[in-house]
Amino acid sequence: DTGVSQDPRHKITKRGQNVTFRCDPISEHNRLYWYRQTLGQGPEFLTYFQNEAQLEKSRLLSDRFSAERPKGSFSTLEIQRTEQGDSAMYLCASSLLQQDGYTFGSGTRLTVV
Amino acid sequence: GQQVMQIPQYQHVQEGEDFTTYCNSSTTLSNIQWYKQRPGGHPVFLIQLVKSGEVKKQKRLTFQFGEAKKNSSLHITATQTTDVGTYFCAGNTGGFKTIFGAGTRLFVKA
């Protein structure tokens, strides 16, 4: 297992387009998290999955954002009708137990032009 | 809502000097984690503290969790150029959401 994988690494899109990112966590990790990070800031929580169940979603997240983890393995994060303010690094992380530290992927850098 | 504040925002040190970053939460935490992010990289987990007053060491790094479980610190003794990066604390109040501070960016001059 090579850790948490995210695809694509970079995405440039025009305002108003939809984008989808994929995260493959460490295979035995049942907990999966999505975070967003902008320059000079810490990661901001977006959503959390335990297996296939989405158990928490940030209230800051607009309804343009949706995430799935259909079989409890990989996850996708979709942003509809992208805005320039969505430009950020989108980080996925996974862990085995709630008390474990997170293993982050390398992220997907989104630029909305 | 829960907030995690870190100070300082930046720290420039000469190689060999010590470095400390402080983390404060607006609410009592069940645990606190520390991460390091190298320039251009992603956060890498360093350690987790759970108990009130807990102190843990990793070589030149010393981590402390306050008695009230609302603050924490990371101290690096005799910094090296390999210590360059941003250090984040991240607090959890027992739920599924871990809140990250804005980080302290460490610059080390050789």
Side-chain angles (χ1 to χ4, degrees), chain A residues 31 33 35 37 40-43 45 48 50 55-56 58-59 91 98-102 104-107, chain B residues 1 9 31 33 35 37 40-45 48 88 92 94-103:
Chain A
R31 298 168 190 270
Y33 310 83
Y35 279 81
Q37 187 176 27
Q41 298 299 314
F45 173 82
Y48 162 70
Q50 186 168 325
L55 297 185
E56 187 147 3
S58 172
R59 282 173 288 180
L91 293 165
Q98 188 168 349
Q99 60 264 36
D100 291 342
Y102 298 170
F104 279 89
S106 298
Chain B
Q9 189 175 3
N31 65 65
Q33 299 175 351
Y35 293 79
Q37 185 171 24
H42 56 274
V44 174
F45 174 72
Q48 177 168 269
F88 294 101
N92 187 289
F96 302 120
K97 183 166 55 178
T98 294
I99 304 298
F100 282 72

Side-chain angles (χ1 to χ4, degrees), chain A residues 1 10 16 26 35 42 46 59 61-62 67 70 75-76 80-82 85 87 93 95-96 103:
Chain A
D1 196 352
H10 304 273
I26 293 173
Y35 279 81
L46 294 179
R59 282 173 288 180
L61 216 58
S62 78
S75 175
T76 58
Q80 297 182 327
R81 306 181 303 281
T82 52
S87 295
S95 68
L96 179 59
T103 301

Side-chain angles (χ1 to χ4, degrees), chain A residues 25-83:
Chain A
I26 293 173
S27 56
E28 61 266 28
H29 286 185
N30 61 349
R31 298 168 190 270
L32 186 146
Y33 310 83
W34 284 98
Y35 279 81
R36 175 173 64 189
Q37 187 176 27
T38 53
L39 197 62
Q41 298 299 314
E44 175 190 20
F45 173 82
L46 294 179
T47 192
Y48 162 70
F49 288 88
Q50 186 168 325
N51 299 310
E52 66 276 7
Q54 187 175 22
L55 297 185
E56 187 147 3
K57 183 176 176 180
S58 172
R59 282 173 288 180
L60 300 174
L61 216 58
S62 78
D63 56 7
R64 296 185 296 107
F65 287 72
S66 62
E68 293 183 340
R69 194 182 182 196
K71 296 181 180 179
S73 55
F74 74 92
S75 175
T76 58
L77 176 68
E78 181 183 16
I79 308 174
Q80 297 182 327
R81 306 181 303 281
T82 52
E83 302 172 356

Side-chain angles (χ1 to χ4, degrees), chain A residues 4-17:
Chain A
V4 178
S5 299
Q6 290 189 246
D7 184 71
R9 291 293 303 272
H10 304 273
K11 178 70 176 179
I12 300 175
T13 191
K14 291 184 177 180
R15 189 174 51 188
Q17 297 294 305

Side-chain angles (χ1 to χ4, degrees), chain B residues 15-101:
Chain B
E15 188 174 25
E17 292 181 340
D18 292 356
F19 160 77
T20 304
T21 173
Y22 300 91
C23 181
N24 289 285
S25 169
S26 56
T27 57
T28 302
L29 301 171
S30 60
N31 65 65
I32 194 153
Q33 299 175 351
W34 285 91
Y35 293 79
K36 177 183 178 181
Q37 185 171 24
R38 294 183 185 275
H42 56 274
V44 174
F45 174 72
L46 296 176
I47 207 162
Q48 177 168 269
L49 305 172
V50 178
K51 298 177 182 177
S52 169
E54 188 169 16
V55 178
K56 287 189 176 181
K57 293 190 175 184
Q58 287 181 349
K59 298 182 180 178
R60 295 178 294 103
L61 277 61
T62 302
F63 304 84
Q64 289 188 310
F65 201 8
E67 293 291 340
K69 300 184 73 173
K70 296 181 75 172
N71 58 75
S72 181
S73 65
L74 159 59
H75 180 82
I76 302 178
T77 303
T79 54
Q80 300 174 358
T81 54
T82 53
D83 295 326
V84 164
T86 301
Y87 292 85
F88 294 101
C89 64
N92 187 289
T93 55
F96 302 120
K97 183 166 55 178
T98 294
I99 304 298
F100 282 72

